[in-house]
Amino acid sequence: LSLKFLMNYFGGKKAFIDWALCKFSLIRGKYAEFELVRTNDVKRIVFFCMGNINRSAMAQTVFSNHSTLPVTSFGLKTQPCFPPSVEAQRWAKSQNIHIMDHKTTRLEDFKFKRGDLIVAFEPNHIDQIKHTMGALANDCQFTLAGLWCGAKTAYIHDPVARSAQYFARCFSLIREAAITLSRKFPARKL
């Protein structure tokens, strides 16, 4: 595998290693619980990532274009009210996706609710959130965005400071996951 391929397809060497370790764990069944979503219990979809300017911003926008179920997002380490990254804006525009209404939300400002389906892009982020949520985590469900792709993956690396090719691949995976997930929820009256 060439370095260029690793950069463009996985986001780099370390990202490839993280992806491979998560793929091995996925094959061994470690993430099976995240595939078992009780759709009738879901009241809201919550996407989250590190900065809420790329992955979760794109997922929230795409999901909201395909479902009437409430959807929101936040970042583990971000500042409030920032727009999506320039790269996210550029890719969204190329795909006719309107993302400019999105503004970042910090974890500290976010309110979890019973019935949330919390969607991560990296398995270790779920453990962090469960710890933060305390007992409320028992009233929510958790999943990984990549498990909703045709070629399941447990890890979608953060595209910050990556190549344009990786941004496109990352956002394509996220679009596929968000659309597939949206199809699990029939239209509901608001």
Side-chain angles (χ1 to χ4, degrees):
L1 299 173
S2 73
L3 180 57
K4 184 176 181 180
F5 175 78
L6 294 177
M7 292 297 293
N8 293 339
Y9 197 78
F10 296 102
K13 289 188 290 187
K14 182 180 181 326
F16 168 70
I17 292 167
D18 291 341
W19 175 88
L21 291 170
C22 288
K23 186 69 169 184
F24 180 68
S25 293
L26 176 64
I27 291 166
R28 289 183 35 235
K30 182 175 181 181
Y31 308 123
E33 68 181 288
F34 301 136
E35 295 183 76
L36 305 174
V37 173
R38 299 176 312 281
T39 56
N40 290 335
D41 295 341
V42 176
K43 306 284 188 263
R44 179 176 69 163
I45 304 295
V46 179
F47 292 100
F48 78 98
C49 63
M50 288 302 291
N52 196 213
I53 60 170
N54 286 309
R55 295 175 293 179
S56 57
M58 190 64 67
Q60 177 185 354
T61 301
V62 171
F63 186 93
S64 69
N65 289 337
H66 291 87
S67 178
T68 58
L69 188 68
V71 60
T72 189
S73 64
F74 68 89
L76 293 172
K77 293 182 181 177
T78 193
Q79 297 300 314
C81 299
F82 275 68
S85 71
V86 171
E87 294 85 355
Q89 293 175 40
R90 187 178 299 125
W91 188 85
K93 184 177 180 182
S94 78
Q95 303 297 310
N96 294 316
I97 298 169
H98 181 74
I99 196 170
M100 288 308 299
D101 292 336
H102 176 80
K103 299 294 182 231
T104 57
T105 301
R106 300 180 319 160
L107 171 61
E108 298 87 343
D109 301 325
F110 189 80
K111 303 289 186 240
F112 293 98
K113 298 179 181 178
R114 284 191 169 117
D116 280 348
L117 174 59
I118 302 168
V119 186
F121 299 89
E122 301 178 33
N124 64 326
H125 289 172
I126 291 177
D127 293 334
Q128 291 176 26
I129 287 302
K130 283 183 175 181
H131 179 73
T132 300
M133 293 174 69
L136 185 56
N138 297 325
D139 296 325
C140 298
Q141 296 180 71
F142 299 85
T143 191
L144 293 163
L147 297 180
W148 299 91
C149 294
K152 292 181 181 182
T153 183
Y155 182 84
I156 300 175
H157 189 71
D158 190 344
V160 168
R162 304 298 171 200
S163 68
Q165 293 87 348
Y166 181 70
F167 264 95
R169 181 172 187 285
C170 176
F171 289 145
S172 294
L173 287 170
I174 290 168
R175 177 180 53 198
E176 179 185 1
I179 291 171
T180 302
L181 185 58
S182 74
R183 291 179 182 147
K184 298 295 180 187
F185 301 96
R188 299 179 183 185
K189 292 181 183 178
L190 299 176

